[in-house]
Amino acid sequence: MTRRLVEQLHQELGLSEAQVMRLIARSPHTYKVYTIPKKTGGVRVIAQPAKETKAMQYWLIENVFNLLPIHASATAYNKGASIKMNAYAHAKNSYLSKFDFKDFFTSIKAPDLREHLTRHLNDAYSVEDIAFIARISCILLKGARELCLSIGAPSSPLLSNSVMYDFDELLHSWCKKRKIVYTRYADDLTFSSNKSGTAEDIEIALKGAIRQILYPRLRINNKKTIHLSKKSQRRVTGIVINNEGQLSLGRDKKRLISALIHKFSIGNLDPELHPKLQGLLGFALDVEPLFFNNMKDKYGAAVLDMIMRIRK
């Protein structure tokens, strides 16, 4: 079973085993790193692997990582999952508690991956192969001592979901006993219930779960911790839940969409914004179809159809 992975990649990529070994060795150093501005200020670091590293990661996704467990509470990156489904899980509850992790992807280090992969793949791959898999999946960030996952690598979403399995199970079990709904959309954690006064207990349970798991080492971003009731606007992964338990785009997003459609209808919308408008309309159709139909009535079905048919 030694170096089974190298043999598989040799067959898949059409390279010699020596070339595969060189690719594996270089993989953490093959990323293009850049930043994009965050809506809340600051920048988000994106790191995309070179095509050779990306090809190995895609092969792992299709042939290895599909064997890893993912908890039902994880609502991002799964087939059929969406931010709409994540929000809908909490739609009938009155009280929300929301938490966020600091530097979620980069908190997941290569040793965490090796431990997790060993638990679930040791019958299929050797210790050496598992070390190779972890290396292929990670980046060495400038100034860092350990390899870690990155935002931008195709394998990071699936791996992060699976690595969090024990954490998700701990919180799911705790919440189920107390009739609390728990979901995790990447690094966004949402808890909801119809019982007031649960916020403090939820926060204690969350911190307890972070201490209890063997990996990864997680930190809560306290600036993003929010506790809400029906007295204030309740928003889950960008979707508003109104007091009737219905999902809504929210007033600001509706105004933005309407303004962009208007500019398009009079030929005054920058073509660079066409994909953004298409995405917003697709999102509106999924989350709040009534608003989409209202835009049809206001601007005409032909205009919306023209927008949705635009190609680069």
Side-chain angles (χ1 to χ4, degrees), residues 162-175:
S162 187
V163 164
M164 293 292 286
Y165 184 88
D166 289 348
F167 175 86
D168 290 334
E169 177 56 27
L170 278 172
L171 284 178
H172 169 77
S173 297
W174 184 87
C175 290

Side-chain angles (χ1 to χ4, degrees), residues 207-276:
K207 291 176 179 178
I210 290 173
R211 289 192 299 269
Q212 191 172 340
I213 57 173
L214 299 176
Y215 59 84
R217 295 182 66 181
L218 301 166
R219 295 177 298 153
I220 298 172
N221 185 349
N222 293 315
K223 293 180 180 179
K224 292 189 177 182
T225 297
I226 303 172
H227 304 292
L228 300 168
S229 70
K230 285 187 175 181
K231 294 179 181 178
S232 54
Q233 187 184 78
R234 294 170 302 148
R235 189 182 292 269
V236 176
T237 45
I239 296 176
V240 173
I241 300 174
N242 65 28
N243 287 348
E244 287 71 48
Q246 298 169 327
L247 303 185
S248 172
L249 299 168
R251 189 178 303 168
D252 291 343
K253 191 155 286 182
K254 288 178 181 179
R255 285 175 175 170
L256 172 63
I257 293 171
S258 184
L260 291 174
I261 296 173
H262 172 70
K263 284 186 176 182
F264 178 88
S265 68
I266 61 174
N268 199 29
L269 183 66
D270 185 339
E272 291 292 319
L273 293 176
H274 288 170
K276 179 177 181 178

Side-chain angles (χ1 to χ4, degrees), residues 26-34 46-51 53-54 57 134-141 147-156:
R26 291 184 59 252
S27 57
H29 309 282
T30 61
Y31 287 70
K32 179 183 178 182
V33 180
Y34 58 96
I46 308 295
Q48 290 192 346
K51 62 180 182 179
T53 303
K54 194 177 289 186
Q57 291 182 358
R135 186 175 183 83
I136 292 167
S137 306
C138 288
I139 184 175
L140 182 63
L141 290 170
L147 304 180
C148 63
L149 295 186
S150 70
I151 300 174
S155 54
S156 291

Side-chain angles (χ1 to χ4, degrees), residues 13-282:
L13 301 178
L15 301 173
S16 70
E17 292 190 14
Q19 289 173 318
V20 170
M21 287 296 295
R22 283 197 292 273
L23 285 180
I24 293 172
R26 291 184 59 252
S27 57
H29 309 282
T30 61
Y31 287 70
K32 179 183 178 182
V33 180
Y34 58 96
T35 60
I36 58 172
K38 292 182 179 180
K39 291 181 181 178
T40 54
V43 296
R44 188 182 307 280
V45 178
I46 308 295
Q48 290 192 346
K51 62 180 182 179
E52 296 87 357
T53 303
K54 194 177 289 186
M56 291 191 292
Q57 291 182 358
Y58 276 124
W59 185 88
L60 289 171
I61 290 168
E62 294 295 323
N63 298 279
V64 179
F65 297 156
N66 60 349
L67 304 174
L68 297 173
I70 295 175
H71 200 276
S73 298
T75 56
Y77 316 129
N78 286 333
K79 189 175 181 180
S82 66
I83 59 174
K84 176 186 175 182
M85 296 305 296
N86 185 61
Y88 188 75
H90 304 278
K92 303 303 179 184
N93 290 338
S94 300
Y95 302 96
L96 285 176
S97 291
K98 302 197 295 179
F99 303 87
D100 186 271
F101 289 129
K102 282 185 179 179
D103 305 320
F104 176 58
F105 280 96
T106 54
S107 294
I108 301 173
K109 312 295 186 184
D112 302 328
L113 294 180
R114 291 197 297 269
E115 176 68 25
H116 189 70
L117 295 170
T118 299
R119 282 190 181 189
H120 299 285
L121 298 176
N122 64 338
D123 290 339
Y125 289 99
S126 67
V127 172
E128 186 179 26
D129 277 340
I130 284 172
F132 289 158
I133 293 170
R135 186 175 183 83
I136 292 167
S137 306
C138 288
I139 184 175
L140 182 63
L141 290 170
K142 187 176 180 180
R145 293 183 178 181
E146 286 187 302
L147 304 180
C148 63
L149 295 186
S150 70
I151 300 174
S155 54
S156 291
L158 193 157
L159 279 173
S160 68
N161 259 358
S162 187
V163 164
M164 293 292 286
Y165 184 88
D166 289 348
F167 175 86
D168 290 334
E169 177 56 27
L170 278 172
L171 284 178
H172 169 77
S173 297
W174 184 87
C175 290
K176 188 176 181 180
K177 293 174 184 176
R178 293 160 180 82
K179 296 183 179 180
I180 296 171
V181 176
Y182 160 66
T183 62
R184 180 181 58 79
Y185 194 92
D187 58 351
D188 290 326
L189 285 67
T190 306
F191 302 79
S192 67
S193 75
N194 281 316
K195 183 180 178 182
S196 63
T198 59
E200 185 177 351
D201 290 340
I202 289 170
E203 195 156 349
I204 291 170
L206 171 58
K207 291 176 179 178
I210 290 173
R211 289 192 299 269
Q212 191 172 340
I213 57 173
L214 299 176
Y215 59 84
R217 295 182 66 181
L218 301 166
R219 295 177 298 153
I220 298 172
N221 185 349
N222 293 315
K223 293 180 180 179
K224 292 189 177 182
T225 297
I226 303 172
H227 304 292
L228 300 168
S229 70
K230 285 187 175 181
K231 294 179 181 178
S232 54
Q233 187 184 78
R234 294 170 302 148
R235 189 182 292 269
V236 176
T237 45
I239 296 176
V240 173
I241 300 174
N242 65 28
N243 287 348
E244 287 71 48
Q246 298 169 327
L247 303 185
S248 172
L249 299 168
R251 189 178 303 168
D252 291 343
K253 191 155 286 182
K254 288 178 181 179
R255 285 175 175 170
L256 172 63
I257 293 171
S258 184
L260 291 174
I261 296 173
H262 172 70
K263 284 186 176 182
F264 178 88
S265 68
I266 61 174
N268 199 29
L269 183 66
D270 185 339
E272 291 292 319
L273 293 176
H274 288 170
K276 179 177 181 178
L277 178 53
Q278 285 180 322
L280 286 169
L281 281 174

